[in-house]
Amino acid sequence: MTTTQAGLRVLLRIRITPGQEAAFEELWRGHAETVRRFPDNHGQQLLRDTAEPGGYTVLTDWTDERSFRAFERSADQQAYLKVLWPLREGGEMRLLEPLHELSPAAPAEA
């Protein structure tokens, strides 16, 4: 994560077609390397749903909505989406404004 605080967290929930999970994960890992080179990207995570086969959540942090929307329109993202769409069954995206972050408590000294 860079020193600039992220002002936008994007939550993408996605359902992948059964049997396409490994292809999706490989595709995401490759694209994540591209995303991390965008200067206004402050990190990303791919999470697999333990209760829903083919269910994933992607979290990405951005400087602001303007920078995220510019990324969405980029040639890199458009090329990724063309490969992703045939692998997915559906999904939804939410734009979230981070308000508070709490670090883990320091372990008690014995």
Side-chain angles (χ1 to χ4, degrees), residues 27-43:
L27 176 66
W28 186 88
R29 279 191 304 271
H31 186 57
E33 290 300 317
T34 299
V35 174
R36 71 189 305 202
R37 290 192 292 270
F38 278 76
D40 288 311
N41 177 259
H42 300 282

Side-chain angles (χ1 to χ4, degrees), residues 2-109:
T2 65
T3 57
T4 305
Q5 184 172 3
L8 180 73
R9 175 163 289 168
V10 178
L11 182 149
L12 172 64
R13 296 183 64 203
I14 187 168
R15 287 181 311 282
I16 298 299
T17 303
Q20 297 297 321
E21 295 90 352
F24 166 69
E25 291 176 26
E26 182 178 337
L27 176 66
W28 186 88
R29 279 191 304 271
H31 186 57
E33 290 300 317
T34 299
V35 174
R36 71 189 305 202
R37 290 192 292 270
F38 278 76
D40 288 311
N41 177 259
H42 300 282
Q44 54 193 318
Q45 289 182 299
L46 175 63
L47 306 144
R48 184 175 34 225
D49 193 319
T50 60
E52 179 186 349
Y56 292 88
T57 299
V58 177
L59 299 173
T60 58
D61 292 334
W62 296 88
T63 300
D64 53 27
E65 185 173 349
R66 179 197 55 76
S67 61
F68 170 67
R69 296 296 185 188
F71 159 74
E72 278 195 311
R73 292 186 300 271
S74 71
D76 288 322
Q77 179 67 354
Q78 294 302 308
Y80 167 75
L81 292 175
K82 285 180 183 175
V83 179
L84 172 64
W85 279 88
L87 303 177
R88 66 187 287 280
E89 290 186 332
E92 66 175 319
M93 182 171 64
R94 304 281 180 162
L95 303 184
L96 307 169
E97 179 183 5
L99 295 178
H100 304 285
E101 184 174 337
L102 185 63
S103 299
E109 292 184 30

